[in-house]
Amino acid sequence: MAKHRGFKFMALGLALATMLTACAKTGSGPAGDPGSSTTGSEGASKVKITYWTPFSGGDGEFMDAMVKKFNEENGSIQVETLNNKSEDYYTKLQTSLASDQAPDVAVVHSARLPQFVPSGYLTDLDTLASENGVKWEDFNPTILDSTVYDGKHYSLPLDTHAIVMYYNKKYLEQAGVLKDGKPDLASSPEGFTDFLTKIQKAVPSDVAPLAQPNVRVDSYWVFWGLYNQISGGGTFYKEDGTAGLNNPQALKALEYVDSLYKSKLIPPNIDDAFKMFQDGKAAVLLTGVWGVGSFEKTQGLDFGVVPMPQLYDQPATWGDSHTLALPKHAKEDPEKQKAAITFANWIVQHGEMWAQAGHIPSVSKVLDSDAFKSMKFRSDYSATADFVKYWPRNPKQGQINDEVTKEFEKMMMNKQDAKTTLENADKAINKVLGK
């Protein structure tokens, strides 16, 4: 019996080996298998690479269409995409990097690069770029600068997604503050307040002049934009590395943001400002460009979008960028790296497809293309890319922003004033920094 069992196990082993060999030849192995490949319709071998994104929502559909088009056009490369939920994306990416199971290409926000570059998790792209047709001069300098560390490029920027101003044309027309289809307001804090006050007096009582939530990060984004508009503003850390938010320029910007809540030009207890605007219950909304794709699909919503209003000395707004990075692996495969940089460069060069989601493409020539110019709204705010202001480069900036947001929420719920908010924010920042 033992002898018969031995033959059975040997036969089973041979069968499994044959199946695994067949899988390897057809590229049906695991997506993360570094040696996996696939075969095209004409029998030519393709290099298979994996691509991770945090685009689990509407953005994911646009990115999926881009990957599909790339796969159709490139006979030697096959890209497999994994769209992750944004809330746990970076935890999964960090785990994959630590366990040497990272994808070949990954979306990494500019604000997250300080978390990965100093740790040596991302590939320096300069050599790969020069060998595979990437031209850094193709990119908007402001956006590109957010990906450069110590003179080296660590990712290809895909876009900038910044805070812009959406407006409901019907309500602005009712208030007499719409001129040639654009908001008519003076470039000053007083001018913006007067603009919103006129709207408040003209629209139904259940319509918000300005919709902003009193929780989450939104008001912090608006503050950062206004703070950077003020001459001498924009400082987050002092020269000694300690917190530096508690200063006159920051107080000036934050007191203005607070005044919009206290005057009820931003009505209290707003949770979902995005939906309010989409439902026609808000005249103005300050949020990211990612709303364009959804708003233009909303039946009956006659809206416009312009850059963040300049209320102080120079234009500025908060923003971040999606970038395409190549995670490092213990043993790199030159063919997969070449395929990865080729794919990443194709994606950024076809930014007009990504612009359909509302984002501002990073490649300058895309903005000048007929395909981009033919899109409604996009050209109205594309200049934002020239004055977007990113968060400071600090490996703990994400955690720090969470703590500062908590202090802003207290202010918006009338638990503390702007001065106390900045004082407490500095204390929270220094605590995170261990200073």
Side-chain angles (χ1 to χ4, degrees):
M1 290 292 291
K3 189 175 182 179
H4 286 297
R5 283 199 300 269
F7 280 124
K8 286 181 179 179
F9 282 120
M10 287 176 64
L12 180 59
L14 286 170
L16 287 171
T18 302
M19 290 171 63
L20 290 172
T21 301
C23 287
K25 289 180 178 177
T26 59
S28 58
D33 179 3
S36 61
S37 63
T38 187
T39 304
S41 58
E42 297 180 1
S45 179
K46 293 186 178 184
V47 179
K48 185 169 70 176
I49 59 173
T50 52
Y51 173 42
W52 282 16
T53 86
F55 307 134
S56 56
D59 286 359
E61 297 177 10
F62 295 105
M63 183 53 70
D64 286 346
M66 295 178 76
V67 174
K68 181 180 179 182
K69 185 173 177 62
F70 174 85
N71 284 336
E72 289 172 350
E73 293 185 2
N74 290 267
S76 61
I77 303 170
Q78 185 73 24
V79 180
E80 292 187 354
T81 307
L82 177 62
N83 293 323
N84 300 268
K85 291 183 178 179
S86 58
E87 54 267 26
D88 59 10
Y89 175 69
Y90 285 104
T91 300
K92 291 178 67 174
L93 183 59
Q94 184 84 39
T95 301
S96 73
L97 287 161
S99 61
D100 198 27
Q101 296 293 318
D104 300 301
V105 184
V107 170
V108 180
H109 286 79
S110 288
R112 291 281 187 164
L113 288 172
Q115 178 182 340
F116 295 103
V117 172
S119 302
Y121 282 137
L122 302 182
T123 303
D124 167 8
L125 299 180
D126 284 344
T127 300
L128 276 170
S130 64
E131 292 176 350
N132 292 281
V134 176
K135 297 179 180 178
W136 300 116
E137 60 270 24
D138 287 350
F139 298 94
N140 176 290
T142 302
I143 303 175
L144 180 64
D145 186 59
S146 70
T147 70
V148 178
Y149 287 75
D150 298 325
K152 298 178 180 179
H153 301 84
Y154 283 90
S155 61
L156 273 63
L158 173 60
D159 63 32
T160 187
H161 44 279
I163 294 299
V164 292
M165 188 174 92
Y166 298 89
Y167 57 96
N168 186 304
K169 291 184 178 180
K170 179 181 72 173
Y171 294 136
L172 267 61
E173 188 172 15
Q174 287 177 5
V177 291
L178 188 70
K179 184 177 181 180
D180 298 326
K182 304 291 184 182
D184 185 17
L185 68 153
S187 297
S188 66
E190 297 78 15
F192 191 56
T193 297
D194 181 61
F195 169 76
L196 294 176
T197 301
K198 288 178 180 177
I199 293 172
Q200 186 180 48
K201 292 177 179 178
V203 300
S205 59
D206 63 341
V207 173
L210 173 60
Q212 292 290 112
N214 62 353
V215 292
R216 299 189 303 277
V217 72
D218 300 65
S219 67
Y220 186 26
W221 286 334
V222 174
F223 156 78
W224 184 249
L226 296 180
Y227 177 33
N228 278 275
Q229 290 184 5
I230 300 171
S231 293
T235 298
F236 203 102
Y237 301 104
K238 297 177 182 177
E239 290 185 4
D240 62 2
T242 59
L245 267 186
N246 187 19
N247 64 68
Q249 292 88 350
L251 182 60
K252 183 177 182 179
L254 190 57
E255 284 183 335
Y256 182 69
V257 173
D258 190 32
S259 74
L260 298 176
Y261 284 91
K262 283 187 165 53
S263 64
K264 297 187 178 179
L265 291 172
I266 301 175
N269 304 317
I270 292 177
D271 180 40
D272 194 339
F274 190 97
K275 189 174 187 303
M276 279 188 71
F277 187 82
Q278 194 168 29
D279 291 345
K281 293 298 182 181
V284 177
L285 173 67
L286 297 175
T287 195
V289 297
W290 52 82
V292 175
S294 296
F295 293 151
E296 64 186 351
K297 294 178 182 177
T298 303
Q299 190 173 1
L301 181 62
D302 186 13
F303 76 99
V305 54
V306 292
M308 174 90 165
Q310 180 184 334
L311 306 187
Y312 295 102
D313 307 308
Q314 63 250 342
T317 188
W318 171 88
D320 203 345
S321 291
H322 296 113
T323 79
L324 302 183
L326 274 60
K328 280 190 176 180
H329 303 88
K331 185 178 180 181
E332 298 291 3
D333 181 334
E335 287 301 310
K336 291 173 79 69
Q337 283 194 311
K338 181 179 179 180
I341 196 73
T342 299
F343 165 69
N345 194 38
W346 188 97
I347 290 291
V348 300
Q349 294 292 338
H350 288 74
E352 73 282 355
M353 295 182 69
W354 186 236
Q356 294 178 54
H359 305 294
I360 303 172
S362 62
V363 175
S364 300
K365 70 178 182 181
V366 173
L367 299 179
D368 295 327
S369 68
D370 292 338
F372 181 80
K373 290 179 178 179
S374 67
M375 296 182 196
K376 194 175 180 181
F377 306 117
R378 275 70 175 176
S379 295
D380 294 335
Y381 60 83
S382 60
T384 296
D386 296 328
F387 52 81
V388 62
K389 298 297 180 181
Y390 296 86
W391 295 125
R393 290 181 174 178
N394 189 301
K396 296 184 178 180
Q397 194 64 40
Q399 183 182 353
I400 285 169
N401 287 342
D402 289 342
E403 295 302 317
V404 175
T405 299
K406 292 176 185 177
E407 296 302 326
F408 273 50
E409 288 176 342
K410 294 176 187 176
M411 181 192 74
M412 290 180 286
M413 291 185 276
N414 288 317
K415 293 182 178 180
Q416 62 190 27
D417 60 16
K419 185 174 185 298
T420 304
T421 298
L422 290 177
E423 291 172 351
N424 290 345
D426 269 9
K427 292 176 183 177
I429 293 167
N430 285 332
K431 185 176 179 180
V432 173
L433 295 174
K435 298 181 180 290

